[in-house]
Amino acid sequence: METLMSLVVGLLLASGVLVTIRLVRGPSMLDRAVALDALVAVVMAGIGVLTAVRQIPFYLPALLVLSFLGFTGSVSIARFLALRDEAGTDDADEGESPHAEGRNENGRRPEPGGDEQGSAG
């Protein structure tokens, strides 16, 4: 039983280190979000193993709170990333090219009745 417990703790530590490396290195915000969610899962697994080994049920509310926070955090990050991707850039107005939809080089639509260069005369 002792060797099995050492193996489980070692695997949890190794996965925690690997997930932490992914959390630090990234490269994208989505990678960091998934790594943070995985780190919460590893911590929850560690608390579950501790609860099973010591046979003390006092840690179960902590597991419940961590699972709720992990889920809520994941949904919040996914919603934030979806809204940011929907906008296309940090500023929704900068996502369009200046020449799209009949815009001039300043990114503005020409005024009706005038030419794009202004009054030439």
Side-chain angles (χ1 to χ4, degrees):
M1 183 69 169
E2 186 70 26
T3 58
L4 181 62
M5 188 62 203
S6 299
L7 178 66
V8 169
V9 169
L11 288 174
L12 283 173
L13 285 174
S15 62
V17 167
L18 291 173
V19 166
T20 303
I21 290 171
R22 175 52 56 198
L23 183 66
V24 171
R25 290 186 66 196
S28 71
M29 180 66 96
L30 187 59
D31 289 330
R32 289 185 174 100
V34 170
L36 188 62
D37 194 34
L39 189 60
V40 170
V42 168
V43 169
M44 287 174 52
I47 293 172
V49 168
L50 182 69
T51 301
V53 167
R54 293 189 180 177
Q55 297 179 352
I56 301 174
F58 298 122
Y59 299 114
L60 294 177
L63 282 175
L64 185 64
V65 169
L66 276 175
S67 65
F68 178 70
L69 289 176
F71 172 75
T72 306
S74 297
V75 169
S76 300
I77 290 171
R79 183 173 169 92
F80 170 74
L81 291 175
L83 289 175
R84 191 181 72 175
D85 287 344
E86 185 177 302
T89 60
D90 291 337
D91 186 9
D93 294 333
E94 291 179 3
E96 300 175 2
S97 67
H99 298 289
E101 301 176 15
R103 295 174 186 248
N104 61 16
E105 59 273 356
N106 296 330
R108 296 189 179 120
R109 294 183 191 272
E111 294 184 19
D115 58 4
E116 287 188 3
Q117 301 296 328
S119 60

